[in-house]
Amino acid sequence: MSDEEHHFDSQADAGASKTYPQQAGTIRKNGYIVIKDRPCKVVEVSTSKTGKHGHAKCHFVGIDIFNGKKLEDIVPSSHNCDVPHVNRTDYQLIDISEDGFVSLLTENGNTKDDLRLPTDESLLAQIKDGFAEGKDLVVSVMSAMGEEQISSLKDIGPKN
């Protein structure tokens, strides 16, 4: 048909979606939801009754899983909401660099060097103190919607 070449600037990944749809009425407390394009953990859900015409509404209060900010959203209970795919992975801490990045050991023996230290002060202090004392530390990394952050810490004893 046409002799012109088409160029596509594809920024495609593996095709795995960052979120999946779920009916608003089925999302419960301690679940996850996307509010204002941020992955949040639901801390409160309240449902209003249907009006004269219309839907029951769900009022969600969520805490951003990465920065701890409180976000709210109101959605008709029959509509779909985006729910983020949230993964938690444990890695052993190998090293902390001067510029605030950590070196982590994955299950298959490779290192992961692209994560910053957490911004949470108490967690940051626990990691630095434990590392300085030479303890074997395992950090839990939460990942959702293309973001990753260290969320908790386990001490598995002193290094041998």
Side-chain angles (χ1 to χ4, degrees):
M1 294 263 230
S2 126
D3 294 335
E4 30 183 291
E5 287 186 31
H6 294 287
H7 294 287
F8 297 104
D9 295 329
S10 69
Q11 274 103 28
D13 51 15
S17 173
K18 293 177 170 68
T19 62
Y20 60 93
Q22 186 175 341
Q23 192 173 344
T26 63
I27 295 173
R28 298 282 168 247
K29 188 177 172 181
N30 293 334
Y32 295 99
I33 188 173
V34 176
I35 301 175
K36 296 184 179 85
D37 291 331
R38 300 292 304 159
C40 298
K41 184 171 181 134
V42 178
V43 290
E44 192 182 317
V45 181
S46 54
T47 310
S48 66
K49 295 275 186 272
T50 54
K52 197 168 171 187
H53 333 273
H55 303 277
K57 300 252 193 310
C58 291
H59 176 242
F60 295 105
V61 178
I63 305 249
D64 189 313
I65 60 177
F66 294 122
N67 64 26
K69 287 199 173 105
K70 192 179 204 180
L71 297 165
E72 296 187 48
D73 201 6
I74 297 176
V75 186
S77 62
S78 58
H79 287 202
N80 279 350
C81 290
D82 284 336
V83 176
H85 290 286
V86 179
N87 292 321
R88 175 177 270 136
T89 319
D90 287 349
Y91 299 106
Q92 187 166 349
L93 182 67
I94 305 171
D95 192 23
I96 300 174
S97 65
E98 283 90 45
D99 57 358
F101 283 88
V102 290
S103 223
L104 303 172
L105 184 67
T106 63
E107 264 112 43
N108 57 13
N110 296 332
T111 58
K112 178 175 178 52
D113 302 312
D114 58 352
L115 263 178
R116 284 189 167 281
L117 280 164
T119 48
D120 177 35
E121 292 298 325
S122 64
L123 186 58
L124 180 63
Q126 283 180 313
I127 291 173
K128 283 189 166 173
D129 294 347
F131 184 72
E133 291 166 22
K135 291 181 180 167
D136 257 350
L137 300 175
V138 171
V139 294
S140 289
V141 175
M142 296 263 288
S143 61
M145 296 177 67
E147 281 186 64
E148 288 183 309
Q149 186 176 312
I150 295 172
S151 61
S152 64
L153 174 72
K154 283 195 283 258
D155 182 358
I156 56 172
K159 284 186 179 165
N160 297 340

